[in-house]
Amino acid sequence: MLSARLQQEIDAGLTADQLTCSDGSARPCADNVALVSPKGISAEVAEDGSLIVAPISKQQYTVGEGGKLQARGSNTEAAKEAAEATAPDAEALKQAGNAQPQGEVVTENLAESNVRSSSEDFETQLADAIRKAADQSAQPKESSERGSDLAKLAIAGLGALAVGQMLNGNRQVALNTGDRVIVTREDGSQQVLKDDNTLLRQAGNEVRTENFSDGSSRTVVTRPDGSQVITIRAADLTVLRRVHVAPNGTETLLIDESVDVPPVRISELPPAPRPQSNTAPTSEAALREALAREAAVSRGFTLSQIRSIPEVRNLVAPVDISAITFETGSAAIQPDQAKQLATLGQVLQEKIRANPREMFLIEGHTDAVGSATYNLALSDRRAESVALALSEYFGVPPENMVVQGYGEEYLKIETQAAERQNRRASVRRITDLLASSR
């Protein structure tokens, strides 16, 4: 489809001289900046001077349902917003130093019955959610004035959002699986809304959440050993700050989205490191070496920039987790599979003991079979399952991990067919990228 779009421009007289750098800079473009046509299709100039469509990894758009172009990668609204590094304006951040509660307080004492383990699938199956989405899409949609109110999300939960509902930022709910929501932006790109505190919800912990009028919240998770994890979230449940407090009172700042960082300009980023191998590390020494590689970058980034902008994320190479496979449509990891994560769990735990500020991004990916919306939800669930397994079986502190699904957007093997290598999970050590760790 992208090739057909490019050919239409060529037939209309497009030449190589009319290609521009995707970031607006002057040619020649930087190594990590693609050439694009006036219609936004990334192209390359062949040896004979003809124009050919560039690989999907260089494209700013994909072709979605109905032939519409959908933004991808650093061209999405989410990535552009993250790039500007606007400081979050949340009541929970402003009230962080107040000893007395300023909002509504909810306290939970967690038991095995109300936490999720890696071996369990989610309460709402994706197939059921898809059918529910189809039914809801046929119903009259709520007005944007009613649907834009995210302030009740922290209290009511993600399940309260209906398909078709409009949220802040012109985001429309495309799918609700009960545990996470997929929203579609005006540019056709999609995002996952989910509770990043799920990893911290372990049996025996007390969870105290203070909800503020703007929808932001401050959650204190207290463990039986007296340690605490304090997380401040925005109205859409994204983490704005996370601090670990040891039993002796020592505080370790892990995430801080309010840190002052400059905007991201893709052309100014150093080139991404070349992959060391096409296969996942098979030995403990190789895995330790892969996760020890430092990012060659002189500045820090917010977690949102790392999650949303692939050129930032790629400043550290991902390490594929080849030990885990999933059943079709499932996010569960059975105990016999979890044992295969022992080496990774040991290495992560070892690194966090040496440096409590270490942070790791667990990524989920799918192949291109099925709808993009379905695959995005599924990939995010699977990333969460891997992180849960690492915590449950091998004691990796959950506060030192964040999870993110990328669906079918970043295929390892560029094919639309079923491909096992694309149904993968990976881990990145993002400590060197986070401004809060500097």
Side-chain angles (χ1 to χ4, degrees):
M1 294 290 287
L2 290 173
S3 297
R5 295 293 183 94
L6 179 62
Q7 188 59 52
Q8 289 174 0
E9 293 190 76
I10 295 173
D11 293 342
L14 177 66
T15 65
D17 291 338
Q18 294 174 288
L19 299 178
T20 59
C21 298
S22 60
D23 67 342
S25 60
R27 294 178 64 176
C29 308
D31 290 341
N32 52 359
V33 175
L35 283 169
V36 297
S37 71
K39 298 293 186 180
I41 308 301
S42 295
E44 295 179 345
V45 182
E47 292 184 1
D48 61 1
S50 62
L51 299 182
I52 57 175
V53 69
I56 188 63
S57 59
K58 294 185 178 181
Q59 295 295 335
Q60 291 188 304
Y61 297 92
T62 58
V63 179
E65 295 181 5
K68 295 181 180 179
L69 289 180
Q70 298 178 353
R72 71 181 299 276
S74 55
N75 191 43
T76 63
E77 291 180 0
K80 292 175 181 178
E81 291 169 0
E84 293 307 312
T86 304
D89 182 20
E91 190 66 22
L93 280 174
K94 299 174 185 177
Q95 300 292 343
N98 289 339
Q100 296 299 318
Q102 303 297 308
E104 180 183 350
V105 177
V106 178
T107 301
E108 301 174 85
N109 291 296
L110 301 181
E112 293 288 350
S113 59
N114 53 8
V115 301
R116 180 189 171 237
S117 74
S118 59
S119 63
E120 297 172 337
D121 252 319
F122 292 72
E123 182 177 350
T124 303
Q125 295 296 314
L126 279 172
D128 295 336
I130 294 291
R131 285 193 292 271
K132 184 178 180 181
D135 293 339
Q136 290 181 338
S137 63
Q139 302 298 319
K141 295 179 175 57
E142 297 186 52
S143 69
S144 58
E145 182 179 356
R146 291 181 63 197
S148 64
D149 184 12
L150 276 175
K152 299 178 182 177
L153 181 58
I155 300 174
L158 290 164
L161 300 180
V163 171
Q165 188 171 354
M166 295 299 297
L167 309 180
N168 291 347
N170 290 320
R171 294 176 288 183
Q172 186 174 37
V173 177
L175 179 67
N176 189 336
T177 65
D179 58 276
R180 61 205 63 212
V181 167
I182 307 300
V183 295
T184 303
R185 305 291 295 261
E186 285 189 308
D187 61 2
S189 63
Q190 294 187 316
Q191 286 179 272
V192 183
L193 301 184
K194 43 96 181 296
D195 186 357
D196 273 311
N197 276 355
T198 297
L199 299 182
L200 304 174
R201 294 179 60 86
Q202 299 179 348
N205 292 349
E206 178 191 83
V207 180
R208 181 180 181 275
T209 300
E210 184 178 358
N211 297 299
F212 295 88
S213 59
D214 65 346
S216 63
S217 61
R218 179 177 183 267
T219 298
V220 180
V221 175
T222 303
R223 293 169 172 152
D225 66 357
S227 65
Q228 294 182 324
V229 180
I230 303 172
T231 305
I232 293 176
R233 295 176 294 175
D236 62 1
L237 301 180
T238 54
V239 174
L240 301 180
R241 182 178 296 156
R242 175 166 287 164
V243 178
H244 176 265
V245 184
N248 65 4
T250 301
E251 295 188 1
T252 302
L253 178 64
L254 299 171
I255 300 169
D256 189 0
E257 295 293 87
S258 65
V259 68
D260 186 22
V261 298
V264 174
R265 302 291 178 254
I266 303 300
S267 60
E268 298 174 0
L269 296 175
R274 292 186 177 183
Q276 298 294 313
S277 171
N278 290 326
T279 59
T282 56
S283 69
E284 182 176 334
L287 180 59
R288 185 177 289 106
E289 179 185 358
L291 289 174
R293 298 188 188 108
E294 297 183 355
V297 61
S298 58
R299 56 158 290 177
F301 304 90
T302 65
L303 177 60
S304 178
Q305 290 172 339
I306 297 169
R307 279 175 152 171
S308 303
I309 306 173
E311 290 84 356
V312 172
R313 195 164 57 249
N314 288 336
L315 292 173
V316 291
V319 177
D320 282 350
I321 304 171
S322 60
I324 296 297
T325 58
F326 293 92
E327 297 296 329
T328 301
S330 172
I333 297 176
Q334 300 306 321
D336 58 335
Q337 281 188 303
K339 294 176 183 178
Q340 305 304 313
L341 290 170
T343 301
L344 176 61
Q346 180 177 339
V347 172
L348 295 188
Q349 192 180 55
E350 176 184 288
K351 294 189 72 65
I352 294 168
R353 278 200 302 266
N355 176 17
R357 302 184 75 177
E358 291 282 7
M359 288 296 298
F360 298 92
L361 175 64
I362 311 297
E363 302 176 6
H365 302 269
T366 70
D367 59 26
V369 177
S371 75
T373 304
Y374 174 101
N375 285 335
L376 183 55
L378 181 60
S379 67
D380 200 67
R381 288 176 158 189
R382 289 175 171 173
E384 184 175 281
S385 291
V386 171
L388 284 170
L390 288 168
S391 180
E392 292 167 12
Y393 292 95
F394 309 107
V396 178
E399 62 270 20
N400 294 84
M401 296 183 285
V402 289
V403 303
Q404 188 67 47
Y406 293 103
E408 61 188 61
E409 187 168 355
Y410 302 104
L411 300 174
K412 188 172 185 177
I413 308 297
E414 292 189 5
T415 176
Q416 296 299 301
E419 172 56 55
R420 184 189 63 81
Q421 292 188 65
N422 287 331
R423 300 190 295 269
R424 69 196 192 279
S426 56
V427 56
R428 297 181 203 249
R429 177 180 171 268
I430 60 173
T431 313
D432 295 340
L433 298 182
L434 280 169
S436 56
S437 294
R438 291 174 172 261

